[in-house]
Amino acid sequence: MKAYEFIEASQQDGVALIELNRPAQYNALNRTMVREIVDALEAFDRDEEVRAIVVTGKGLAFSAGADIDEMAGDHPVRLELLNQFADWDRLTLIKTPIIGAVKGFVFGGGFELALSCDLLIAASGTEFSFPEVTLGVMPGAGGTQRLTKIVGRTKALEWLWNGTRITTESALQHGLINRVVSPELLMEEAMKTAKQIARQAPLSIRLIKDSVNKAVDYPLYEGMQYERKNFYLLFASEDQKEGMNAFIEKRKPEFKGR
């Protein structure tokens, strides 16, 4: 795996780990760091040995948001020329399951990164927030869209308009996170979840993610037709034959992602 400036990336036993590594800045996201995160995710997504990815932050926080020092002097033409959110758009194309292990502050761009994960496990005491309104701006990397799709229009507006700090209890209640664990168990729980997913049939996992993502945007009938095509497609895989034969023969299947 290549060396990065602002993240660390590794893999073992089918699970990849990406750690945000600017702890002194509470893992504030500058443009290079975002590019590194997406590059690492894409590299792991291409690796047939990797079946799940865990994303977390070193130090006291997952990420306190965007690097304001980098953005303070920007203007619309510069942002357009930079294509500010092109790297963020690439996140939606990752097919491998992504588990976020979050703690401390999950603010602004850090919250948007967390919402881009497929599952979220949070340490108790974690706080989530979109504080952009207090800076005279708003989320721009999908925050208003992903948050609204999860919690609904009125709650999203309340939190976005007020820059509310959302507790783990409230996040769990509104479906933002999957579970809350003690800080010392955060990585153990995240890796356990990733390994459970990694043991399943890789093609099934990828096409389930694909179908669920379509369910967010498609009307029911169109979503069901899309699901059906993915269902049929899996019957062309070796894993389908292995899984069903293993069931009949009363043994554990050995999936190869083919």
Side-chain angles (χ1 to χ4, degrees):
M1 196 71 193
K2 65 183 286 188
Y4 296 98
E5 184 178 1
F6 297 117
I7 69 170
E8 291 188 3
S10 59
Q11 66 183 84
Q12 186 177 7
D13 299 330
V15 175
L17 175 63
I18 296 174
E19 298 175 282
L20 313 188
N21 191 24
R22 295 185 77 199
Q25 294 80 26
Y26 295 100
N27 295 318
L29 301 169
N30 59 33
R31 294 184 181 105
T32 301
M33 188 177 186
V34 171
R35 190 170 303 114
E36 289 182 350
I37 294 167
V38 179
D39 284 349
L41 284 168
E42 288 178 337
F44 287 135
D45 198 37
R46 292 190 296 268
D47 189 337
E48 292 186 5
E49 298 299 316
V50 173
R51 298 186 177 184
I53 304 168
V54 175
V55 179
T56 193
K58 288 196 168 189
L60 300 177
F62 177 70
S63 174
D67 189 328
I68 303 302
D69 290 339
E70 183 182 63
M71 297 177 62
D74 281 336
H75 53 82
V77 173
R78 172 173 163 77
L79 292 173
E80 173 62 28
L81 292 173
L82 284 171
N83 199 359
Q84 170 80 2
F85 299 111
D87 291 322
W88 288 91
D89 291 342
R90 291 156 57 197
L91 282 171
T92 62
L93 302 178
I94 303 298
K95 295 182 178 181
T96 305
I98 305 171
I99 297 96
V102 299
K103 59 185 176 182
F105 303 133
V106 187
F107 291 174
F111 197 0
E112 288 175 307
L113 177 60
L115 291 177
S116 298
C117 297
D118 300 305
L119 303 178
L120 276 179
I121 301 170
S124 55
T126 301
E127 291 185 319
F128 304 81
S129 179
F130 282 121
E132 283 87 344
V133 69
T134 68
L135 302 174
V137 291
M138 61 177 282
T144 64
Q145 305 305 297
R146 288 191 171 92
L147 184 67
T148 301
K149 289 179 183 297
I150 295 171
V151 306
R153 177 180 180 274
T154 54
K155 182 55 69 174
L157 282 173
E158 177 188 343
W159 285 345
L160 289 160
W161 278 343
N162 294 301
T164 305
R165 290 199 177 192
I166 306 159
T167 65
T168 50
E169 291 77 14
S170 186
L172 186 63
Q173 176 187 350
H174 288 92
L176 286 172
I177 59 179
N178 293 85
R179 64 184 71 95
V180 181
V181 299
S182 62
E184 60 270 18
L185 294 179
L186 176 62
M187 290 310 300
E188 179 182 333
E189 185 67 19
M191 296 304 290
K192 176 183 175 183
T193 300
K195 288 176 181 178
Q196 287 173 336
I197 293 171
R199 285 194 290 268
Q200 307 297 344
L203 293 174
S204 296
I205 291 292
R206 291 163 78 93
L207 292 185
I208 287 169
K209 175 175 176 174
D210 180 44
S211 299
V212 170
N213 286 344
K214 289 296 187 293
V216 174
D217 298 314
Y218 280 16
L220 178 60
Y221 181 78
E222 285 79 359
M224 290 176 65
Q225 298 307 304
Y226 192 89
E227 173 194 75
R228 201 155 298 159
K229 289 179 181 179
N230 279 345
F231 174 82
Y232 294 153
L233 179 59
L234 287 170
F235 276 77
S237 71
E238 294 177 17
D239 282 351
Q240 176 267 328
K241 305 298 185 294
E242 168 63 13
M244 292 192 174
N245 286 334
F247 177 83
I248 293 170
E249 295 165 9
K250 295 180 173 56
R251 60 176 175 83
K252 289 185 178 181
E254 295 183 10
F255 295 121
K256 298 180 179 178
R258 290 179 173 79

